[in-house]
Amino acid sequence: MNYEEELLQCCKFYPIPTPKEFSPAGQCLAVKQDICEGFFWLYSEDDLFNIKIQNFFFKKDQLFDPQALNWPDSLSIVYCESVSGEEFMPYRRLTAGCVKTFFGNRHPCKTLYHKNVPIKSVSIEIFPAYYQQYLKKVFPMEYQNPYAAFQEIDQTNDFPEMVTLLRQIQSYRGEGMAARLFYRSKVSEAVALMIQHTQTHPKQEPLPVSQEDREALGNIAAYMNDHYNRTILLEQLAKIACMGTTKLKKSFHQVYGCTITEYIRQRRLSQGENLLATTDFPIEQIAVTVGYSNAGRFSRDFRSSTGLNPSEYRKLSQRKESAVAGECRL
C-alpha cells in the first residue's frame, strides 16, 4: 500500500462522481465521518507527479505526521487559501496566502491542524522519476536538480507568479488529451518558476550562530511568549540578549525563520485564534487582549494569516455539527 492509499484510508475518503467544481480528468473523493469532512481531488501522471486540490476540515485538532504515512521522496509546492494550525521542528504558524514547499521523507515536520477550519489548498508534488530522470533526459546538457530551488523557497509571500499558476490549475475544468497536456505543461512551468525565482532572489549564506547566542535568542523568544500583548521595544530585547540591535535582528531571523515583529504577530494571532474558538468575548476585546490597538488591524492580520475573518473563524471553530459535505466546495 502506498502513502496516498494510506492517507485516504486513514481519513476514509471514498470516490464520488466528479462534480462541476473539479476537472473530470482527476479522481474526486469525499469524506464525512468522525475525523473529517470535505473533498479531495487528485490527478496523477504515472510515477512522475501528482496535482491535488483539497477543501476539507478536521472535526478535532489533528496532528499530521508524514513519517507515519511512509511518505516517499518528493518535492511539493503548495498554496493555501485558508488554514489554521502550527508546524513543529521548528515551530511556526501555518499561514494562508503564502507559497510553501514540502519535502517528502527528507525534512519530517509534524503539523497540527485546528478543528473545523477549512484546509483549502492546491499543490503540485513531483517525484524522483520526474526531477531526477525525466528532466535529465529532456535537458541532458542543462540539467540541474530542482531540489535546491525548492529548498530555498521554503515559505514566501513574494511569489505571485506561482500563486497565479496554482490558481489556474484550481480553476481548470478540461478533460482528455487537453487536460493531460495542460497539467504536464503546468508542472513544467512550476519547476521553471522555482528555478528562475531562486536565480533572481539569491539567498546570502548565513553566518553561524554560536551556542551562547542561540541560548540568548531562546531567552528572547521566551520573553516574547510571555509579553506578546505588550509593547516590546527592540532596544529592550537587545539589552536582554546582550547584543547590538543589528546582530539581534539578523541572528533571530536566521534561527527562527522570521523577524522579531513577525514572531510577536504570530503569538498574538495564535492567542487570538484560541480566544475566538473558546470564548464569546467581542472581537474588539480580543484584539486589545492580545496586543492590538484596534479591531481593524487585528482583523486584517487575522485574515492575512488564516484566510478567514475573525467572525468567520469563530463561527467555524465553534460549530457543534459539521456542515453538509455538499456545502464544502471550492
Side-chain angles (χ1 to χ4, degrees):
M1 181 182 299
N2 63 32
Y3 83 104
E4 291 284 358
E5 292 171 337
E6 290 186 35
L7 177 61
L8 296 178
Q9 282 198 9
C10 172
C11 293
K12 298 182 180 178
F13 280 88
Y14 53 88
I16 61 170
T18 304
K20 62 181 181 180
E21 288 84 358
F22 302 95
S23 165
Q27 181 183 18
C28 193
L29 304 106
V31 62
K32 185 180 181 182
Q33 42 92 32
D34 292 341
I35 299 176
C36 61
E37 180 177 335
F39 290 88
F40 181 96
W41 181 91
L42 173 68
Y43 176 85
S44 296
E45 187 81 18
D46 299 324
D47 59 348
L48 297 177
F49 63 83
N50 286 337
I51 295 175
K52 306 173 188 176
I53 300 174
Q54 301 179 102
N55 185 0
F56 69 95
F57 62 90
F58 291 108
K59 298 182 180 179
K60 298 179 181 179
D61 283 4
Q62 188 74 24
L63 185 64
F64 179 71
D65 184 358
Q67 286 188 313
L69 294 172
N70 298 316
W71 212 280
D73 282 345
S74 59
L75 307 178
S76 295
I77 186 81
V78 185
Y79 172 74
C80 276
E81 290 185 2
S82 73
V83 69
S84 176
E86 296 87 22
E87 290 181 342
F88 304 95
M89 299 185 301
Y91 175 89
R92 66 181 170 188
R93 282 174 51 83
L94 295 176
T95 303
C98 70
V99 170
K100 177 177 173 54
T101 54
F102 177 80
F103 304 87
N105 202 32
R106 297 198 184 199
H107 299 291
C109 178
K110 294 182 180 180
T111 305
L112 179 67
Y113 292 101
H114 292 169
K115 66 179 181 179
N116 293 333
V117 179
I119 302 167
K120 295 183 180 180
S121 69
V122 55
S123 65
I124 294 173
E125 179 182 35
I126 59 175
F127 299 105
Y130 183 89
Y131 61 83
Q132 291 180 354
Q133 301 172 27
Y134 171 76
L135 289 181
K136 186 178 294 185
K137 180 179 179 181
V138 176
F139 304 101
M141 304 301 294
E142 303 170 283
Y143 172 76
Q144 63 180 93
N145 192 322
Y147 175 80
F150 275 72
Q151 190 175 36
E152 286 194 26
I153 294 295
D154 183 31
Q155 181 170 300
T156 180
N157 293 98
D158 185 25
F159 205 165
E161 304 91 342
M162 186 63 72
V163 173
T164 298
L165 183 150
L166 292 172
R167 283 178 169 170
Q168 289 172 345
I169 289 175
Q170 186 180 46
S171 62
Y172 183 73
R173 301 292 181 265
E175 57 185 302
M177 179 179 175
R180 292 175 65 85
L181 290 171
F182 175 83
Y183 290 126
R184 288 182 182 181
S185 69
K186 289 302 176 184
V187 171
S188 296
E189 185 180 351
V191 174
L193 286 176
M194 295 290 287
I195 295 173
Q196 181 180 0
H197 189 274
T198 55
Q199 291 173 344
T200 55
H201 297 75
K203 283 190 175 181
Q204 295 181 346
E205 286 296 323
L207 297 174
V209 179
S210 69
Q211 183 60 35
E212 180 180 0
D213 285 345
R214 287 180 180 273
E215 291 176 358
L217 293 172
N219 291 333
I220 292 299
Y223 179 85
M224 290 189 291
N225 290 342
D226 288 339
H227 300 85
Y228 63 87
N229 59 344
R230 304 179 185 178
T231 299
I232 300 177
L233 300 177
L234 179 63
E235 291 76 14
Q236 181 183 12
L237 297 178
K239 289 180 180 179
I240 295 174
C242 297
M243 297 181 188
T245 56
T246 301
K247 178 181 178 180
L248 174 60
K249 289 190 292 185
K250 289 184 177 180
S251 300
F252 190 90
H253 192 282
Q254 184 174 333
V255 172
Y256 288 92
C258 64
T259 66
I260 290 173
T261 299
E262 289 168 342
Y263 188 91
I264 295 171
R265 175 175 170 269
Q266 290 180 15
R267 299 287 73 73
R268 289 175 173 176
L269 293 175
S270 291
Q271 181 61 9
E273 283 185 356
N274 179 54
L275 293 174
L276 287 168
T278 60
T279 74
D280 59 358
F281 296 161
I283 293 174
E284 293 79 5
Q285 182 180 349
I286 291 176
V288 173
T289 299
V290 301
Y292 281 86
S293 59
N294 62 78
R297 180 62 183 273
F298 170 69
S299 296
R300 288 194 296 271
D301 282 359
F302 193 90
R303 181 171 181 79
S304 176
S305 178
T306 65
L308 301 167
N309 292 323
S311 57
E312 294 173 321
Y313 185 93
R314 165 169 276 169
K315 182 178 179 180
L316 291 171
S317 62
Q318 292 188 352
R319 61 184 165 187
K320 301 299 182 182
E321 299 295 332
S322 60
V324 178
E327 295 177 357
C328 188
R329 304 276 185 169
L330 288 172

PDB file of all heavy atoms in Angstrom, residues 275-297:
ATOM      1  N   LEU A 275      -8.841  32.442  21.646  1.00  0.00           N
ATOM      2  CA  LEU A 275      -9.940  33.177  22.273  1.00  0.00           C
ATOM      3  C   LEU A 275     -11.188  33.175  21.400  1.00  0.00           C
ATOM      4  O   LEU A 275     -12.316  33.085  21.909  1.00  0.00           O
ATOM      5  CB  LEU A 275      -9.507  34.606  22.582  1.00  0.00           C
ATOM      6  CG  LEU A 275      -8.429  34.763  23.653  1.00  0.00           C
ATOM      7  CD1 LEU A 275      -7.982  36.212  23.772  1.00  0.00           C
ATOM      8  CD2 LEU A 275      -8.927  34.246  25.004  1.00  0.00           C
ATOM      9  N   LEU A 276     -11.023  33.243  20.093  1.00  0.00           N
ATOM     10  CA  LEU A 276     -12.176  33.182  19.197  1.00  0.00           C
ATOM     11  C   LEU A 276     -12.864  31.824  19.271  1.00  0.00           C
ATOM     12  O   LEU A 276     -14.090  31.726  19.187  1.00  0.00           O
ATOM     13  CB  LEU A 276     -11.735  33.456  17.756  1.00  0.00           C
ATOM     14  CG  LEU A 276     -11.372  34.901  17.416  1.00  0.00           C
ATOM     15  CD1 LEU A 276     -10.674  34.962  16.055  1.00  0.00           C
ATOM     16  CD2 LEU A 276     -12.614  35.785  17.405  1.00  0.00           C
ATOM     17  N   ALA A 277     -12.065  30.778  19.449  1.00  0.00           N
ATOM     18  CA  ALA A 277     -12.612  29.417  19.455  1.00  0.00           C
ATOM     19  C   ALA A 277     -13.199  29.014  20.801  1.00  0.00           C
ATOM     20  O   ALA A 277     -14.073  28.136  20.855  1.00  0.00           O
ATOM     21  CB  ALA A 277     -11.524  28.419  19.040  1.00  0.00           C
ATOM     22  N   THR A 278     -12.747  29.628  21.887  1.00  0.00           N
ATOM     23  CA  THR A 278     -13.122  29.115  23.223  1.00  0.00           C
ATOM     24  C   THR A 278     -13.914  30.113  24.065  1.00  0.00           C
ATOM     25  O   THR A 278     -14.340  29.762  25.172  1.00  0.00           O
ATOM     26  CB  THR A 278     -11.861  28.708  24.004  1.00  0.00           C
ATOM     27  OG1 THR A 278     -11.004  29.848  24.157  1.00  0.00           O
ATOM     28  CG2 THR A 278     -11.109  27.597  23.276  1.00  0.00           C
ATOM     29  N   THR A 279     -14.091  31.342  23.580  1.00  0.00           N
ATOM     30  CA  THR A 279     -14.818  32.333  24.375  1.00  0.00           C
ATOM     31  C   THR A 279     -15.861  33.041  23.508  1.00  0.00           C
ATOM     32  O   THR A 279     -15.868  32.899  22.267  1.00  0.00           O
ATOM     33  CB  THR A 279     -13.880  33.411  24.953  1.00  0.00           C
ATOM     34  OG1 THR A 279     -13.476  34.308  23.905  1.00  0.00           O
ATOM     35  CG2 THR A 279     -12.650  32.779  25.587  1.00  0.00           C
ATOM     36  N   ASP A 280     -16.711  33.816  24.143  1.00  0.00           N
ATOM     37  CA  ASP A 280     -17.658  34.658  23.414  1.00  0.00           C
ATOM     38  C   ASP A 280     -17.295  36.130  23.560  1.00  0.00           C
ATOM     39  O   ASP A 280     -18.134  37.016  23.376  1.00  0.00           O
ATOM     40  CB  ASP A 280     -19.087  34.410  23.893  1.00  0.00           C
ATOM     41  CG  ASP A 280     -19.272  34.676  25.389  1.00  0.00           C
ATOM     42  OD1 ASP A 280     -18.267  35.018  26.058  1.00  0.00           O
ATOM     43  OD2 ASP A 280     -20.406  34.530  25.878  1.00  0.00           O
ATOM     44  N   PHE A 281     -16.031  36.411  23.890  1.00  0.00           N
ATOM     45  CA  PHE A 281     -15.576  37.792  24.010  1.00  0.00           C
ATOM     46  C   PHE A 281     -15.793  38.521  22.678  1.00  0.00           C
ATOM     47  O   PHE A 281     -15.573  37.940  21.609  1.00  0.00           O
ATOM     48  CB  PHE A 281     -14.103  37.870  24.372  1.00  0.00           C
ATOM     49  CG  PHE A 281     -13.741  37.298  25.708  1.00  0.00           C
ATOM     50  CD1 PHE A 281     -12.427  36.954  25.992  1.00  0.00           C
ATOM     51  CD2 PHE A 281     -14.700  37.107  26.691  1.00  0.00           C
ATOM     52  CE1 PHE A 281     -12.083  36.431  27.223  1.00  0.00           C
ATOM     53  CE2 PHE A 281     -14.368  36.580  27.923  1.00  0.00           C
ATOM     54  CZ  PHE A 281     -13.060  36.241  28.203  1.00  0.00           C
ATOM     55  N   PRO A 282     -16.185  39.776  22.696  1.00  0.00           N
ATOM     56  CA  PRO A 282     -16.277  40.551  21.453  1.00  0.00           C
ATOM     57  C   PRO A 282     -14.916  40.617  20.758  1.00  0.00           C
ATOM     58  O   PRO A 282     -13.860  40.585  21.414  1.00  0.00           O
ATOM     59  CB  PRO A 282     -16.713  41.941  21.932  1.00  0.00           C
ATOM     60  CG  PRO A 282     -17.348  41.714  23.268  1.00  0.00           C
ATOM     61  CD  PRO A 282     -16.602  40.568  23.882  1.00  0.00           C
ATOM     62  N   ILE A 283     -14.938  40.708  19.451  1.00  0.00           N
ATOM     63  CA  ILE A 283     -13.698  40.741  18.683  1.00  0.00           C
ATOM     64  C   ILE A 283     -12.851  41.944  19.082  1.00  0.00           C
ATOM     65  O   ILE A 283     -11.617  41.860  19.158  1.00  0.00           O
ATOM     66  CB  ILE A 283     -14.000  40.753  17.177  1.00  0.00           C
ATOM     67  CG1 ILE A 283     -14.623  39.403  16.770  1.00  0.00           C
ATOM     68  CG2 ILE A 283     -12.741  41.019  16.353  1.00  0.00           C
ATOM     69  CD1 ILE A 283     -15.099  39.342  15.340  1.00  0.00           C
ATOM     70  N   GLU A 284     -13.495  43.064  19.380  1.00  0.00           N
ATOM     71  CA  GLU A 284     -12.753  44.253  19.816  1.00  0.00           C
ATOM     72  C   GLU A 284     -11.989  43.972  21.098  1.00  0.00           C
ATOM     73  O   GLU A 284     -10.834  44.394  21.261  1.00  0.00           O
ATOM     74  CB  GLU A 284     -13.719  45.427  20.034  1.00  0.00           C
ATOM     75  CG  GLU A 284     -14.374  45.957  18.768  1.00  0.00           C
ATOM     76  CD  GLU A 284     -15.530  45.089  18.293  1.00  0.00           C
ATOM     77  OE1 GLU A 284     -15.893  44.116  19.006  1.00  0.00           O
ATOM     78  OE2 GLU A 284     -16.073  45.375  17.209  1.00  0.00           O
ATOM     79  N   GLN A 285     -12.619  43.233  22.014  1.00  0.00           N
ATOM     80  CA  GLN A 285     -11.958  42.908  23.280  1.00  0.00           C
ATOM     81  C   GLN A 285     -10.802  41.944  23.055  1.00  0.00           C
ATOM     82  O   GLN A 285      -9.735  42.079  23.665  1.00  0.00           O
ATOM     83  CB  GLN A 285     -12.968  42.306  24.257  1.00  0.00           C
ATOM     84  CG  GLN A 285     -12.370  41.970  25.624  1.00  0.00           C
ATOM     85  CD  GLN A 285     -13.399  41.368  26.580  1.00  0.00           C
ATOM     86  OE1 GLN A 285     -14.595  41.378  26.305  1.00  0.00           O
ATOM     87  NE2 GLN A 285     -12.919  40.831  27.688  1.00  0.00           N
ATOM     88  N   ILE A 286     -11.000  40.979  22.177  1.00  0.00           N
ATOM     89  CA  ILE A 286      -9.938  40.013  21.878  1.00  0.00           C
ATOM     90  C   ILE A 286      -8.741  40.734  21.260  1.00  0.00           C
ATOM     91  O   ILE A 286      -7.585  40.465  21.611  1.00  0.00           O
ATOM     92  CB  ILE A 286     -10.454  38.914  20.939  1.00  0.00           C
ATOM     93  CG1 ILE A 286     -11.459  38.021  21.675  1.00  0.00           C
ATOM     94  CG2 ILE A 286      -9.298  38.079  20.386  1.00  0.00           C
ATOM     95  CD1 ILE A 286     -12.101  36.971  20.814  1.00  0.00           C
ATOM     96  N   ALA A 287      -9.006  41.659  20.351  1.00  0.00           N
ATOM     97  CA  ALA A 287      -7.919  42.400  19.700  1.00  0.00           C
ATOM     98  C   ALA A 287      -7.055  43.114  20.725  1.00  0.00           C
ATOM     99  O   ALA A 287      -5.821  43.031  20.695  1.00  0.00           O
ATOM    100  CB  ALA A 287      -8.502  43.397  18.698  1.00  0.00           C
ATOM    101  N   VAL A 288      -7.693  43.818  21.663  1.00  0.00           N
ATOM    102  CA  VAL A 288      -6.951  44.541  22.694  1.00  0.00           C
ATOM    103  C   VAL A 288      -6.237  43.575  23.625  1.00  0.00           C
ATOM    104  O   VAL A 288      -5.081  43.796  24.025  1.00  0.00           O
ATOM    105  CB  VAL A 288      -7.899  45.462  23.491  1.00  0.00           C
ATOM    106  CG1 VAL A 288      -7.174  46.090  24.675  1.00  0.00           C
ATOM    107  CG2 VAL A 288      -8.476  46.539  22.582  1.00  0.00           C
ATOM    108  N   THR A 289      -6.888  42.467  23.961  1.00  0.00           N
ATOM    109  CA  THR A 289      -6.312  41.490  24.883  1.00  0.00           C
ATOM    110  C   THR A 289      -5.008  40.906  24.362  1.00  0.00           C
ATOM    111  O   THR A 289      -4.063  40.681  25.128  1.00  0.00           O
ATOM    112  CB  THR A 289      -7.316  40.347  25.152  1.00  0.00           C
ATOM    113  OG1 THR A 289      -8.495  40.897  25.747  1.00  0.00           O
ATOM    114  CG2 THR A 289      -6.720  39.294  26.073  1.00  0.00           C
ATOM    115  N   VAL A 290      -4.932  40.665  23.059  1.00  0.00           N
ATOM    116  CA  VAL A 290      -3.727  40.042  22.501  1.00  0.00           C
ATOM    117  C   VAL A 290      -2.691  41.067  22.052  1.00  0.00           C
ATOM    118  O   VAL A 290      -1.629  40.692  21.537  1.00  0.00           O
ATOM    119  CB  VAL A 290      -4.074  39.093  21.329  1.00  0.00           C
ATOM    120  CG1 VAL A 290      -5.013  38.001  21.788  1.00  0.00           C
ATOM    121  CG2 VAL A 290      -4.657  39.861  20.143  1.00  0.00           C
ATOM    122  N   GLY A 291      -2.997  42.371  22.224  1.00  0.00           N
ATOM    123  CA  GLY A 291      -1.962  43.360  21.974  1.00  0.00           C
ATOM    124  C   GLY A 291      -2.186  44.314  20.826  1.00  0.00           C
ATOM    125  O   GLY A 291      -1.299  45.114  20.499  1.00  0.00           O
ATOM    126  N   TYR A 292      -3.370  44.258  20.180  1.00  0.00           N
ATOM    127  CA  TYR A 292      -3.653  45.177  19.089  1.00  0.00           C
ATOM    128  C   TYR A 292      -4.315  46.444  19.626  1.00  0.00           C
ATOM    129  O   TYR A 292      -5.092  46.395  20.584  1.00  0.00           O
ATOM    130  CB  TYR A 292      -4.560  44.523  18.055  1.00  0.00           C
ATOM    131  CG  TYR A 292      -3.828  43.585  17.121  1.00  0.00           C
ATOM    132  CD1 TYR A 292      -3.603  42.255  17.463  1.00  0.00           C
ATOM    133  CD2 TYR A 292      -3.344  44.036  15.894  1.00  0.00           C
ATOM    134  CE1 TYR A 292      -2.925  41.395  16.619  1.00  0.00           C
ATOM    135  CE2 TYR A 292      -2.664  43.186  15.035  1.00  0.00           C
ATOM    136  CZ  TYR A 292      -2.455  41.869  15.404  1.00  0.00           C
ATOM    137  OH  TYR A 292      -1.772  41.025  14.554  1.00  0.00           O
ATOM    138  N   SER A 293      -4.052  47.560  18.968  1.00  0.00           N
ATOM    139  CA  SER A 293      -4.649  48.823  19.402  1.00  0.00           C
ATOM    140  C   SER A 293      -6.078  48.982  18.920  1.00  0.00           C
ATOM    141  O   SER A 293      -6.849  49.760  19.486  1.00  0.00           O
ATOM    142  CB  SER A 293      -3.811  50.005  18.902  1.00  0.00           C
ATOM    143  OG  SER A 293      -3.718  49.985  17.478  1.00  0.00           O
ATOM    144  N   ASN A 294      -6.445  48.224  17.867  1.00  0.00           N
ATOM    145  CA  ASN A 294      -7.815  48.297  17.371  1.00  0.00           C
ATOM    146  C   ASN A 294      -8.190  47.014  16.660  1.00  0.00           C
ATOM    147  O   ASN A 294      -7.317  46.250  16.210  1.00  0.00           O
ATOM    148  CB  ASN A 294      -8.001  49.507  16.440  1.00  0.00           C
ATOM    149  CG  ASN A 294      -7.110  49.423  15.209  1.00  0.00           C
ATOM    150  OD1 ASN A 294      -7.403  48.699  14.274  1.00  0.00           O
ATOM    151  ND2 ASN A 294      -6.010  50.187  15.219  1.00  0.00           N
ATOM    152  N   ALA A 295      -9.500  46.775  16.545  1.00  0.00           N
ATOM    153  CA  ALA A 295     -10.006  45.537  15.952  1.00  0.00           C
ATOM    154  C   ALA A 295      -9.755  45.480  14.452  1.00  0.00           C
ATOM    155  O   ALA A 295      -9.604  44.388  13.885  1.00  0.00           O
ATOM    156  CB  ALA A 295     -11.498  45.396  16.245  1.00  0.00           C
ATOM    157  N   GLY A 296      -9.705  46.632  13.796  1.00  0.00           N
ATOM    158  CA  GLY A 296      -9.494  46.644  12.357  1.00  0.00           C
ATOM    159  C   GLY A 296      -8.157  46.052  11.962  1.00  0.00           C
ATOM    160  O   GLY A 296      -8.076  45.232  11.041  1.00  0.00           O
ATOM    161  N   ARG A 297      -7.104  46.453  12.662  1.00  0.00           N
ATOM    162  CA  ARG A 297      -5.764  45.915  12.359  1.00  0.00           C
ATOM    163  C   ARG A 297      -5.694  44.435  12.692  1.00  0.00           C
ATOM    164  O   ARG A 297      -5.103  43.640  11.946  1.00  0.00           O
ATOM    165  CB  ARG A 297      -4.718  46.692  13.170  1.00  0.00           C
ATOM    166  CG  ARG A 297      -3.282  46.221  12.946  1.00  0.00           C
ATOM    167  CD  ARG A 297      -2.844  46.401  11.502  1.00  0.00           C
ATOM    168  NE  ARG A 297      -1.516  45.902  11.283  1.00  0.00           N
ATOM    169  CZ  ARG A 297      -0.401  46.631  11.478  1.00  0.00           C
ATOM    170  NH1 ARG A 297      -0.504  47.885  11.897  1.00  0.00           N
ATOM    171  NH2 ARG A 297       0.781  46.128  11.238  1.00  0.00           N
TER     172      ARG A 297
END
